[in-house]
Amino acid sequence: MPPRAKKAAPTNENATLAVSAKANVDVNAVMNERKVLAEKNTALENQIDELTKRLTEVELSKTQTEKKAKKFEAEVKTLKKTKGFTPSFEGIQVSKIEGDTKSVSKKDESKPKQPATAYLLYCNAHREQARAANPDVSFGDLTPSIL
């Protein structure tokens, strides 16, 4: 038998015409449908890109909050070591530790005052003389002139 002759491969237009002729389908309708599907495909690809960007942002913020949580836990551990610690999510609060605060004693009104020193007695005795000699001098400048 003689070998068969090879037929030329149909071009895209020829293939579309052949398919449309067989299926009785309008070629323009098929081409329009393909364009619509291609547009939908690009829109879906854009949505996928946006969602992946959002996902990476969420993952980054999640890692940042995890780091902050670890720092907070470390602070809580160090503060738990102190006596009388009560954790709070509104802010870290540490109750007063007994014996750490210095008590301020009130003055006893009946206690007599300490006597004036020799320097104060000398300054008070000679202040009037220095003021008479320098009447326009301020109080701060008058004291060195007494000595």
Side-chain angles (χ1 to χ4, degrees):
M1 261 176 118
R4 289 187 179 188
K6 292 185 179 178
K7 293 184 180 179
T11 61
N12 194 13
E13 292 175 8
N14 292 339
T16 307
L17 291 174
V19 168
S20 66
K22 289 181 182 177
N24 292 329
V25 178
D26 186 20
V27 174
N28 290 331
V30 170
M31 295 302 278
N32 288 337
E33 188 175 335
R34 283 186 180 183
K35 287 180 185 178
V36 170
L37 289 175
E39 290 174 2
K40 286 182 181 178
N41 190 19
T42 55
L44 288 174
E45 288 175 357
N46 290 338
Q47 287 179 350
I48 289 172
D49 291 339
E50 289 178 26
L51 290 175
T52 54
K53 286 179 185 177
R54 287 183 188 172
L55 180 63
T56 55
E57 290 174 0
V58 167
E59 288 174 351
L60 289 175
S61 65
K62 182 180 177 183
T63 56
Q64 290 174 351
T65 53
E66 287 175 353
K67 288 179 183 178
K68 288 180 182 178
K70 287 180 182 179
K71 286 182 182 178
F72 182 73
E73 287 175 3
E75 289 180 18
V76 168
K77 285 181 182 179
T78 57
L79 291 173
K80 278 186 178 179
K81 292 177 183 178
T82 62
K83 186 177 180 181
F85 172 71
T86 55
S88 173
F89 289 107
E90 298 169 353
I92 298 174
Q93 297 176 351
V94 179
S95 63
K96 291 183 180 179
I97 300 172
E98 295 177 14
D100 277 356
T101 59
K102 293 181 180 178
S103 61
V104 177
S105 60
K106 294 184 179 181
K107 285 187 174 182
D108 187 10
E109 298 296 330
S110 64
K111 182 179 176 182
K113 292 183 178 180
Q114 291 182 348
T117 62
Y119 174 75
L120 287 175
L121 293 173
Y122 176 81
C123 288
N124 288 337
H126 292 86
R127 183 171 288 117
E128 292 301 323
Q129 296 171 358
R131 190 174 294 152
N134 301 317
D136 57 342
V137 177
S138 68
F139 180 79
D141 295 332
L142 182 66
T143 305
S145 66
I146 294 173
L147 300 175

